[in-house]
Amino acid sequence: MEKLKAGEFVYLTDYVLRILSQNRVTTILEFLQEDTGKLSTLTKLSLPQILALRNDIFKKYSAPIVNGSALLFKSMNNKRLLSTGINNLDAILNGGIPTGYLTELCGLAESGKTQLCLQLAINTVKNSENTVLYIDTKGDFSATRIQKILDACGCSHKEMAIVMFKIRVIHIWTMDEILEFLKRIKNKTIIIERLSLIIIDSLPCLMFQHLGDDNKIGLTFLNTFVNYSRYLCKEFELVMLCVNIQTRWIDQATADLEDVNNQSTSVNKEMYMEKRNRCLGRYWQQIPALVILSEKCHSASKEVCVLINVSVIKFNNIKCDKKCVLKISDGGVT
């Protein structure tokens, strides 16, 4: 606890400090915990003076008192959304992705997750002063793909260069590396001006070796990651988008369609049930405030594009089911 210092408060003179020190009252905490009557007797200060000194200490070192109405008003006025730049997606998100929270984008392999991430990065920095940090854990970030999207939108080479400059790409291969990197951002030893979006594509690639029922190291890593991420989201009012992988399991069961009146007519029929799960275990399931699911459409269309179903399955920790269809083409995701 911080030491008492002469001249820091009105009645805290060198004489008073010496008397307090002789009676083993040297820190602010010890002063506040001591009986006010005893302090008055020791220091020869009147009781109102001791109380005034205590109030001055509380004013300087205590958190400001905010009532519930003021806190609600501040929360409502500070609510911010980061537009995705994709009209259909913004519509089901009520305007965009909320800042200050963790967001998850999940889906099966080849469901358009990375394509959507690239488009979000482009739309976030294009025609704005925003900066995006793109953390690539798979080694498949494609600057060429971004250039093709921008070229299809009619951007000049200068405009492409500006967009590419504002998308900061870093390759990370282990949980130790990403935790150290986030810690340096938290401590401001790494400063990224006007950072508004952090994309991690993808988090399971770093966590797979640590997953398992008895692997406590993995849970420790994930918990530390969540703590750093939540702090950064709140402190810098940004969006952190974590790409997660959806797994698909096929369970085989046997349905016995037996006529109880006639044993000879019993028929055994094999049944298959598909189950899909989001990776990263039970602890992670409740962490993201917003969960977006991407699924590839099985369309018979012969157009040179891919359609994906995008669903919001959880928003502000409330289950929901809002859907839209997006198109992936040479011009990006629309």
Side-chain angles (χ1 to χ4, degrees):
M1 184 64 184
E2 191 166 342
K3 298 280 187 180
L4 292 168
K5 298 176 183 178
E8 189 173 11
F9 301 100
V10 177
Y11 302 110
L12 206 57
T13 63
D14 289 329
Y15 169 77
V16 170
L17 275 180
R18 186 167 63 254
I19 296 299
L20 291 174
S21 179
Q22 290 173 357
N23 289 272
R24 297 182 181 180
V25 179
T26 59
T27 68
I28 291 174
L29 180 61
E30 290 169 345
F31 181 84
L32 294 176
Q33 290 177 336
E34 191 58 79
D35 179 71
T36 54
K38 181 179 178 181
L39 291 174
S40 178
T41 302
L42 292 173
T43 61
K44 307 304 181 184
L45 295 173
S46 66
L47 188 58
Q49 289 175 324
I50 292 293
L51 294 176
L53 180 54
R54 285 167 60 91
N55 287 336
D56 288 341
I57 292 174
F58 280 126
K59 288 179 181 178
K60 181 173 182 178
Y61 291 99
S62 299
I65 299 174
V66 181
N67 61 42
S69 299
L71 188 61
L72 177 62
F73 179 79
K74 181 180 178 181
S75 176
M76 295 298 291
N77 283 278
N78 289 343
K79 186 177 181 180
R80 290 184 55 222
L81 297 171
L82 179 67
S83 173
T84 66
I86 304 171
N87 293 334
N88 289 345
L89 185 54
D90 278 343
I92 65 173
L93 292 174
N94 298 322
I97 303 174
T99 61
Y101 300 94
L102 272 167
T103 296
E104 175 186 328
L105 172 61
C106 65
L108 296 172
E110 299 183 352
S111 60
K113 299 186 298 297
T114 296
Q115 295 295 322
L116 190 52
C117 286
L118 295 177
Q119 190 66 58
L120 290 177
I122 293 171
N123 294 349
T124 299
V125 303
K126 190 178 178 183
N127 302 321
S128 75
E129 297 298 320
N130 295 332
T131 303
V132 171
L133 175 62
Y134 199 109
I135 300 177
D136 178 20
T137 68
K138 303 180 296 181
D140 62 355
F141 176 83
S142 176
T144 303
R145 173 60 176 154
I146 290 182
Q147 290 175 337
K148 287 182 178 179
I149 293 173
L150 294 172
D151 184 54
C153 295
C155 294
S156 65
H157 289 291
K158 181 179 179 180
E159 290 170 331
M160 290 183 192
I162 293 173
V163 169
M164 293 298 295
F165 177 76
K166 290 188 288 187
I167 300 176
R168 310 293 176 85
V169 183
I170 180 172
H171 299 282
I172 285 181
W173 312 113
T174 66
M175 284 299 296
D176 286 313
E177 289 180 20
I178 196 168
L179 293 180
E180 178 61 26
F181 186 76
L182 295 179
K183 180 180 179 181
R184 294 177 66 185
I185 297 178
K186 174 181 180 292
N187 295 337
K188 298 182 179 179
T189 55
I190 293 179
I191 298 176
I192 303 175
E193 297 292 340
R194 295 179 292 275
L195 180 62
S196 58
L197 173 63
I198 298 177
I199 297 174
I200 302 177
D201 186 16
S202 70
L203 188 56
C205 289
L206 304 178
M207 281 296 301
F208 271 140
Q209 62 178 315
H210 303 294
L211 295 178
D213 294 336
D214 298 325
N215 197 332
K216 296 181 180 180
I217 296 178
L219 185 59
T220 301
F221 275 141
L222 197 56
N223 185 55
T224 306
F225 169 82
V226 169
N227 289 336
Y228 281 148
S229 300
R230 283 177 168 169
Y231 176 87
L232 295 179
C233 289
K234 295 291 185 182
E235 179 70 16
F236 298 102
E237 292 186 359
L238 54 80
V239 171
M240 180 170 286
L241 179 69
C242 299
V243 176
N244 196 2
I245 297 173
Q246 194 179 36
T247 58
R248 178 166 56 188
W249 301 87
I250 306 296
D251 282 354
Q252 179 178 336
T254 302
D256 191 5
L257 305 178
E258 183 176 1
D259 184 353
V260 295
N261 294 323
N262 188 353
Q263 294 293 334
S264 62
T265 62
S266 63
V267 179
N268 289 332
K269 184 178 180 180
E270 290 185 343
M271 305 289 291
Y272 296 91
M273 182 178 297
E274 179 181 295
K275 293 183 179 180
R276 297 188 181 185
N277 297 313
R278 292 156 50 207
C279 285
L280 299 177
R282 293 182 180 178
Y283 169 76
W284 174 262
Q285 302 305 305
Q286 304 303 320
I287 297 301
L290 172 64
V291 179
I292 303 172
L293 174 65
S294 178
E295 298 176 289
K296 187 176 181 181
C297 293
H298 298 286
S299 175
S301 174
K302 295 183 179 180
E303 296 181 16
V304 186
C305 66
V306 176
L307 299 179
I308 58 173
N309 285 318
V310 176
S311 309
V312 177
I313 60 177
K314 187 175 79 167
F315 191 51
N316 288 334
N317 292 318
I318 300 175
K319 290 184 178 181
C320 58
D321 186 21
K322 296 183 178 180
K323 299 180 180 180
C324 69
V325 177
L326 303 181
K327 180 172 69 174
I328 302 176
S329 62
D330 291 340
V333 181
T334 55

